Amino acid sequence: MNSAMHYSKLELLSYNHGMKSAERFTSEVMATIKAAIEDAEGQEVLFYGKVNSEGLVDEIDAAGRGNETAAPALFPYMESGDVVIHNHPSGVLRPSDADLQVASRLGNQGIGFYIIDNRLKSVYCVSEPLVQEPKTPLAVGSLSDILRPGGVMSTQFPSYESREPQIAMLEAVGAAFNEQQLAVIEAGTGVGKSLAYLLPAASWALQNRERVIISTATINLQQQLLDKDIPLAEKLLGKQVDAKLVKGRGNYVCLRRLEDTIEEMALFSQEESELEAIKKWSEVTDSGSRDDLSFFPSQDIWSRVCSESDACMGLRCPHRDRCFVLRSRREAAASNLLVVNHHLLFSDLAARVDGAGFDSTAVLPPAAHIIFDEAHSLEKSATSFFSDRYNKFALFKQLRRIYSRRHNRAFGLALQLQKYSDDQEVYQTIPTLVQELHREADKLDDQLLSFLDTSGNFWIKQSTDPQQLSEALDPIRHLRTALNKLLSALERGMEKVDEKYAQESEVFETGIVIERLASQAKVLGAIERYDEQEDAICWIEKGFTSKREPFCNLIRTPLQISELMQEAVYEPHKTVIATSATLTVRKQFQYWLSRVGLNGMYQDRLSTVQLESPFHYRKQVLLAVPNDAPQPNQPGYQEYVSAFVAKSLAISEGSALVLFTSYRMLQETHAQVAPGLEERGISVLKQGGEERSKLMAHFHSDISSVLFATDSFWEGVDAPGEALRLVIICRLPFAVPTDPVVQARMEAVEKRGGNSFMNYSLPQAAMKLRQGFGRLMRRKTDRGVVCILDSRIIHKSYGKILLGSLPTTGQKIESGAQVLQGMEDFFYTADTHNVKDL
């Protein structure tokens, strides 16, 4: 900020006459300010302060020091109601233009701006801090009474039975809001955690006019919250809550991009038919959301017409008055309860950390309170969002926008730009450069695929064999060189465009493509400079197209997310609640806390609560483990699994979920088991056979069906009642040891003096095992068997930790034949009359 300006005598008199400092600062703060200015030898100093209930600044800190005419405008995280102070050594308190710009920006966030003289005789208030209304604490006792016997819940729903764990969770959430805490709550299946956090969250939002964000990992839970749980909370509170499900931009059609794409693709009948259907729908839809389409558009077409942040023309857009994203944002801004997914929330938090701040709209409207449901997946979600990646298909998508040939005709932005320039020569090289990039990208994939091992992963690190390192990095370098050539040509082409055409759609789109290609070049450059990435893992992953054709992903992944969580979540938000049914290992939170930046941190704010499920697992679930099963690394394991799965599913007559840790094993087992089951009239469904929502719809509708699945199906599957009576876990869910991210994080644990197996691999496996186990009991009347075919759980010493992390159940740990007989007895001859209806 610069205070060097020239004033008349009258102005000097006017701006030298300010309010007395004692009317704005406590005596202790005044002493601190004077000392700081003296230490800076009378130069400019920038302070930030907290204002107490009497309107006096009672806390102060120096944020930056400058010279006699300017100080750097550096601001740490500040809240509405705080104040920025800086001195004018000249003694003239008139704000400079820079002062006014900063004061305006901060004022819009509710932050005040004061100017003082060096002797602190006077204060000139450029803008007042927003006076904070005192918050009304939640009446936690009254809220918990809603769920107690004789409360509103039992009055409106006579069959409702009060659950002490649910009341305890509500009280913990209420305390977190009242005391601005970080609350970590494990609530077992059946506790009713959604309602336990919704009642206090909705009450706080309504009575204090502060927005609350609820972030989840799955679409299923988002829909449950909007369609069932929030309406129930409103009914119980007797008040309406303005709640909205917020989706990412990519879910909405962009009318400008749709119009441009239709014009560009008019020559190609197949695409024209699909585009025309989207256009007709866009003219009548209220939401513009892809979910409202009567068909599922191809990914290639939707990617050309959906809204994207870097493709938004903002105020210059000709369709702004009908913009679906803008409408959604207005609705979100008017809501006090927002439901989002973890990915969207992290995109919002990333924008805020990058400079958007925490008091204005970024991707989402600002909020002081966050509830993470399904919080066990936070590290995975954050890791995915903050990983940068390159693959040739992402590159080819942008190249097609620049130049492509179809049906012997050329089209693309490079051709369209020519009509806006008198210099055509620069555009003539672009087709050749695009073709060169295609060749280099294919060469890179061929080279990398040739030496990737059977795991399909390769960690680029200093200990890598020099020959392998050269084989990986050389083609990456060649591709980046070719990409930079194209970028240079495109930038020269943009420079040749006449300024009067700068706002034309084709020019705007070309700028977007250049930014995206530059981003791809940046990822390639980071991979090349792998040895400079101290806090990241650079690696190569083999992927497969829908036709099972291999390709390579080049990925830069953060080594840990702790600092990000601290900077973006815990420090700037008043209340943070993280909840899930699986956050502990043997009732200890240490592992999860260590992965998300909470272990040993914020002890004055952090509380942990562990609440048991009210389900009677001991009576209603049988845990079966054949003790004669070969271990996964022993001969005959696959054959044993296939035979045992077939026999188990015949006994249960289907109604089962069979979980694997690898798709290869799933395929082998399915091939050996499915024909016999189909002969028995049992439908055998397989992950990858169809889109997930359709697969789950079939599984739910055919109660005797069996689903073979891996990875993501270990959580989020909710099939209560007769649709699921048996869960088979074929192998303990240890992370793949050849995964570079797993390797790097295990190394990091060892470097800190820990044991990578006991402190990372084992607790991670325990939490995932609990997720798989939790697929069986979804309702209080559910009953069935969880069978684990990995005998390491009983033969290895660490098996006690895994078993100790599961609920207490009935057990059958004997030979395979005895386990099968025990399962049959449990299904068909057990005395079900002794199982209470909870």
Side-chain angles (χ1 to χ4, degrees):
M1 290 176 291
N2 195 311
S3 58
M5 298 181 70
H6 300 285
Y7 315 112
S8 69
K9 289 184 177 179
L10 285 174
E11 288 175 316
L12 286 171
L13 288 171
S14 172
Y15 287 99
N16 276 329
H17 184 67
M19 184 176 289
K20 291 181 180 179
S21 298
E23 298 175 13
R24 290 288 179 169
F25 306 104
T26 64
S27 57
E28 293 83 359
V29 164
M30 290 174 67
T32 301
I33 291 175
K34 288 178 181 177
I37 294 174
E38 186 176 333
D39 288 344
E41 298 179 347
Q43 309 299 318
E44 286 209 18
V45 182
L46 184 74
F47 303 91
Y48 61 93
K50 299 281 185 183
V51 181
N52 64 22
S53 59
E54 298 175 1
L56 298 177
V57 177
D58 65 348
E59 294 181 36
I60 197 78
D61 203 352
R65 294 171 177 82
N67 54 36
E68 63 183 16
T69 60
L74 304 174
F75 304 108
Y77 171 69
M78 299 184 69
E79 297 180 327
S80 176
D82 291 348
V83 64
V84 168
I85 308 111
H86 92 102
N87 60 311
H88 281 188
S90 66
V92 179
L93 306 189
R94 175 171 179 163
S96 66
D97 290 342
D99 289 335
L100 292 173
Q101 289 176 359
V102 172
S104 177
R105 176 165 63 86
L106 294 175
N108 287 327
Q109 300 173 21
I111 298 170
F113 191 91
Y114 299 168
I115 300 173
I116 57 176
D117 63 283
N118 277 11
R119 291 184 294 174
L120 207 55
K121 286 190 172 183
S122 300
V123 181
Y124 185 78
C125 177
V126 182
S127 60
E128 294 281 5
L130 182 67
V131 178
Q132 296 290 310
E133 295 181 7
K135 303 305 176 188
T136 305
L138 293 173
V140 177
S142 298
L143 289 173
S144 61
D145 285 344
I146 293 174
L147 302 178
R148 293 188 186 281
V152 178
M153 186 73 164
S154 60
T155 302
Q156 297 197 14
F157 301 92
S159 61
Y160 170 77
E161 295 181 11
S162 181
R163 288 166 276 184
E164 283 303 318
Q166 186 179 40
I167 294 170
M169 179 172 175
L170 182 152
E171 291 173 344
V173 173
F177 275 98
N178 284 344
E179 300 167 25
Q180 299 188 10
Q181 289 181 341
L182 310 175
V184 178
I185 306 171
E186 181 181 85
T189 306
V191 165
K193 65 180 185 298
S194 299
L195 193 60
Y197 64 66
L198 278 173
L199 288 172
S203 297
W204 183 275
L206 288 170
Q207 71 188 39
N208 289 306
R209 293 184 293 178
E210 286 191 328
R211 188 176 291 108
V212 179
I213 292 177
I214 299 171
S215 182
T216 80
T218 62
I219 294 173
N220 286 346
L221 180 53
Q222 292 168 27
Q223 291 302 143
Q224 176 187 316
L225 288 170
L226 266 294
D227 298 340
K228 177 185 173 184
D229 295 337
I230 292 175
L232 175 57
E234 289 178 318
K235 187 174 184 179
L236 295 175
L237 292 170
K239 299 174 183 177
Q240 185 173 352
V241 182
D242 292 322
K244 178 170 176 59
L245 173 63
V246 185
K247 305 174 186 177
R249 273 184 176 271
N251 290 281
Y252 297 95
V253 67
C254 170
L255 297 174
R256 179 191 62 80
R257 298 189 77 209
L258 174 62
E259 184 177 83
D260 292 347
T261 304
I262 289 174
E263 182 178 341
E264 178 185 328
M265 303 290 287
L267 298 174
F268 310 109
S269 57
Q270 181 178 354
E271 287 85 355
E272 185 180 19
S273 173
E274 192 170 358
L275 283 168
E276 189 59 35
I278 294 175
K279 183 177 185 301
K280 289 181 179 177
W281 163 79
S282 73
E283 293 169 352
V284 297
T285 178
D286 290 327
S287 71
S289 172
R290 177 174 52 182
D291 293 341
D292 293 341
L293 269 168
S294 59
F295 64 96
F296 200 82
S298 67
Q299 182 57 37
D300 183 56
I301 289 296
W302 186 255
S303 69
R304 289 173 177 263
V305 303
C306 69
S307 177
E308 295 178 329
S309 58
D310 57 357
C312 179
M313 294 184 72
L315 293 171
R316 297 168 294 173
C317 181
H319 300 283
R320 185 175 174 81
D321 59 333
R322 283 201 64 220
C323 177
F324 296 112
V325 171
L326 200 58
R327 180 185 302 174
S328 175
R329 283 193 166 185
R330 281 196 294 263
E331 291 172 355
S335 302
N336 44 30
L337 207 60
L338 301 182
V339 179
V340 304
N341 63 37
H342 294 337
H343 190 276
L344 184 62
L345 178 59
F346 280 123
S347 69
D348 175 76
L349 296 175
R352 297 184 184 283
V353 170
D354 287 343
F358 287 84
D359 291 294
S360 57
T361 295
V363 177
L364 300 170
H369 313 276
I370 299 177
I371 297 173
F372 289 104
D373 202 340
E374 300 175 314
H376 60 273
S377 64
L378 270 184
E379 183 184 24
K380 181 179 179 181
S381 296
T383 297
S384 173
F385 178 81
F386 289 100
S387 291
D388 302 316
R389 62 179 60 222
Y390 156 88
N391 65 56
K392 69 178 184 180
F393 298 112
L395 175 64
F396 291 168
K397 175 184 172 182
Q398 301 308 319
L399 296 183
R400 284 195 299 271
R401 300 288 293 123
I402 294 297
Y403 178 83
S404 186
R405 294 189 67 87
R406 299 181 78 175
H407 307 312
N408 297 319
R409 302 207 44 171
F411 66 98
L413 293 166
L415 302 178
Q416 296 169 22
L417 281 183
Q418 296 181 43
K419 63 187 177 184
Y420 300 122
S421 173
D422 294 331
D423 186 349
Q424 303 294 304
E425 184 177 350
V426 68
Y427 303 102
Q428 306 308 314
T429 63
I430 291 177
T432 302
L433 292 172
V434 167
Q435 291 166 6
E436 180 187 353
L437 258 176
H438 271 275
R439 288 193 297 271
E440 291 296 339
D442 285 332
K443 282 182 186 178
L444 173 61
D445 258 36
D446 292 342
Q447 178 70 13
L448 296 181
L449 288 169
S450 69
F451 72 82
L452 283 178
D453 59 25
T454 54
S455 71
N457 298 318
F458 179 71
W459 182 9
I460 302 174
K461 58 177 181 174
Q462 288 181 319
S463 60
T464 303
D465 176 78
Q467 180 63 33
Q468 273 195 318
L469 206 54
S470 176
E471 290 176 2
L473 295 180
D474 285 349
I476 294 174
R477 192 173 295 113
H478 294 154
L479 176 61
R480 188 169 66 88
T481 299
L483 183 50
N484 284 333
K485 286 181 183 178
L486 176 62
L487 282 167
S488 296
L490 290 171
E491 287 164 357
R492 289 196 304 273
M494 291 286 277
E495 290 170 0
K496 299 296 183 182
V497 173
D498 193 303
E499 284 189 12
K500 65 183 179 183
Y501 300 119
Q503 302 304 317
E504 292 295 332
S505 182
E506 296 93 333
V507 179
F508 185 78
E509 286 281 342
T510 303
I512 295 166
V513 173
I514 289 173
E515 287 183 9
R516 293 177 180 174
L517 290 174
S519 177
Q520 295 271 291
K522 185 178 178 181
V523 174
L524 294 171
I527 301 291
E528 274 187 74
R529 298 186 300 276
Y530 70 95
D531 53 341
E532 299 174 13
Q533 316 290 317
E534 294 183 1
D535 297 322
I537 308 143
C538 296
W539 56 295
I540 304 166
E541 173 192 58
K542 182 189 289 186
F544 293 91
T545 67
S546 58
K547 297 179 180 179
R548 301 300 295 168
E549 297 170 347
F551 67 94
C552 284
N553 286 305
L554 277 67
I555 309 169
R556 180 187 179 278
T557 296
L559 182 60
Q560 50 85 24
I561 65 162
S562 295
E563 291 181 6
L564 166 76
M565 293 294 289
Q566 290 162 8
E567 182 181 8
V569 179
Y570 311 134
E571 291 173 8
H573 293 92
K574 295 177 181 177
T575 307
V576 179
I577 293 157
T579 185
S580 168
T582 52
L583 293 178
T584 65
V585 178
R586 298 189 84 175
K587 303 187 187 305
Q588 298 297 315
F589 286 94
Q590 184 176 357
Y591 170 73
W592 186 85
L593 295 176
S594 71
R595 302 311 307 168
V596 297
L598 282 174
N599 197 27
M601 301 292 291
Y602 310 107
Q603 295 303 305
D604 57 331
R605 293 181 64 200
L606 179 63
S607 64
T608 58
V609 180
Q610 201 265 331
L611 300 168
E612 298 287 349
S613 168
F615 292 163
H616 288 185
Y617 285 98
R618 190 187 295 274
K619 293 182 178 181
Q620 293 173 259
V621 176
L622 176 68
L623 177 64
V625 184
N627 58 19
D628 56 358
Q631 294 183 24
N633 61 347
Q634 294 177 335
Y637 173 68
Q638 175 62 60
E639 291 75 13
Y640 184 93
V641 167
S642 295
F644 199 95
V645 167
K647 292 173 184 176
S648 300
L649 297 177
I651 290 172
S652 69
E653 298 178 353
S655 305
L657 174 64
V658 187
L659 294 172
F660 299 85
T661 58
S662 77
Y663 196 74
R664 179 190 58 77
M665 188 179 182
L666 183 155
Q667 293 274 54
E668 289 185 26
T669 309
H670 180 271
Q672 295 171 21
V673 171
L677 293 175
E678 297 284 359
E679 288 179 4
R680 290 173 170 268
I682 297 173
S683 298
V684 183
L685 307 172
K686 181 179 67 171
Q687 181 181 349
E690 55 188 334
E691 192 266 326
R692 177 170 177 143
S693 62
K694 292 181 180 178
L695 191 66
M696 290 308 302
H698 288 171
F699 185 53
H700 285 132
S701 62
D702 183 353
I703 63 171
S704 66
S705 63
V706 174
L707 174 59
F708 284 53
T710 184
D711 197 27
S712 62
F713 284 78
W714 284 68
E715 56 185 274
V717 173
D718 192 357
E722 291 298 309
L724 184 57
R725 300 196 300 154
L726 172 64
V727 173
I728 301 177
I729 295 173
C730 296
R731 186 168 180 164
L732 295 175
F734 286 104
V736 180
T738 55
D739 183 316
V741 176
V742 173
Q743 290 182 56
R745 289 177 171 171
M746 289 176 70
E747 280 191 12
V749 171
E750 295 282 346
K751 287 178 181 177
R752 293 194 297 268
N755 181 302
S756 58
F757 180 76
M758 296 301 293
N759 301 140
Y760 182 81
S761 297
L762 184 59
Q764 186 182 61
M767 289 182 68
K768 188 152 189 176
L769 180 64
R770 293 184 66 196
Q771 283 288 326
F773 177 95
R775 296 313 94 210
L776 181 67
M777 284 284 290
R778 308 308 298 170
R779 303 291 185 273
K780 62 183 180 181
T781 54
D782 288 349
R783 186 175 183 277
V785 176
V786 176
C787 186
I788 299 175
L789 302 184
D790 189 335
S791 61
R792 289 179 297 176
I793 199 168
I794 52 174
H795 294 316
K796 296 290 186 180
S797 58
Y798 60 74
K800 294 179 180 178
I801 294 175
L802 296 175
L803 287 172
S805 295
L806 299 176
T808 302
T809 67
Q811 289 189 356
K812 190 72 174 178
I813 302 177
E814 299 183 51
S815 69
Q818 291 171 310
V819 165
L820 289 170
Q821 184 59 56
M823 290 169 59
E824 186 171 1
D825 291 343
F826 186 85
F827 281 132
Y828 303 111
T829 63
D831 185 3
T832 58
H833 298 293
N834 289 330
V835 178
K836 281 189 176 182
D837 187 3
L838 301 180

